[in-house]
Amino acid sequence: MQETVYTPGETGPAGGIVFYVDSDNTHEWSCLDAAPAGWYDGDDPEVPWGEMGLEIGASARGIGMGAENTESIAERPGEFAGNLAAVLELNGYADWFLPSREEVVLMYEALYREGIGGLAAEPYWTSTERNADRAMSHNFDTGGQISGQKLNENRVRPIRAF
């Protein structure tokens, strides 16, 4: 059986939109895809990242690190960005997570800048924590990274690796 080859912008097996292909075989997976537009009651929800004053150690920022960060975030109860991503089940797939700082940049470049995926011109949370009170988000309007208070309500778009 021949393996399916994906390119950015195509629909992945879980119904998400492929935004990164690991052409160098650096990772145990081949692609990253973002949940489709409307994944949460028709929109990308705006929720806090987490609790203020609590550093949980989700500080990894590289490609392939979002899942590990999200596991740490989801250990804390509450309707926070990482928890929404971690509990998503879509088209039979339950391995979604909040993208790391570098993963969300890839999503911004391949999807938002190309007008694909229905992403808003607003800040989106990453899974990368800065300290006990702040976490990183990516402002899709300006393209810049922001360190915001964890209680700020920013948008969430889960991703998965496959």
Side-chain angles (χ1 to χ4, degrees), residues 1-161:
M1 186 169 152
Q2 187 175 5
E3 185 177 326
T4 303
V5 177
Y6 292 92
T7 58
E10 290 186 323
T11 302
I17 308 159
V18 174
F19 65 90
Y20 174 75
V21 177
D22 182 19
S23 57
D24 296 331
N25 297 317
T26 306
H27 304 284
E28 295 176 7
W29 40 266
S30 300
C31 300
L32 293 173
D33 66 349
W39 70 274
Y40 186 89
D41 292 334
D43 205 357
D44 290 329
E46 295 179 83
V47 298
W49 189 92
E51 298 174 58
M52 297 283 287
L54 176 67
E55 189 165 358
I56 61 170
S59 60
R61 53 177 72 186
I63 298 168
M65 302 306 297
E68 183 179 316
N69 282 346
T70 301
E71 284 179 32
S72 296
I73 296 165
E75 289 177 5
R76 305 293 303 174
E79 191 162 303
F80 298 125
N83 301 63
L84 290 181
V87 301
L88 176 61
E89 186 172 332
L90 187 61
N91 298 323
Y93 292 86
D95 56 351
W96 299 89
F97 54 91
L98 194 61
S100 71
R101 187 174 173 175
E102 290 182 24
E103 290 165 342
V104 84
V105 170
L106 295 172
M107 185 170 62
Y108 167 79
E109 296 282 336
L111 298 182
Y112 179 78
R113 290 187 65 180
E114 297 298 321
I116 301 170
L119 295 154
E122 297 180 29
Y124 278 80
W125 281 123
T126 76
S127 63
T128 306
E129 181 179 46
R130 182 149 182 229
N131 58 38
D133 295 323
R134 303 180 83 73
M136 299 304 297
S137 64
H138 191 93
N139 188 331
F140 279 38
D141 184 39
T142 65
Q145 296 272 321
I146 310 161
S147 170
Q149 289 189 351
K150 290 179 177 180
L151 288 180
N152 289 351
E153 292 191 354
N154 291 334
R155 295 207 179 255
V156 175
R157 180 70 69 97
I159 68 169
R160 65 181 293 272

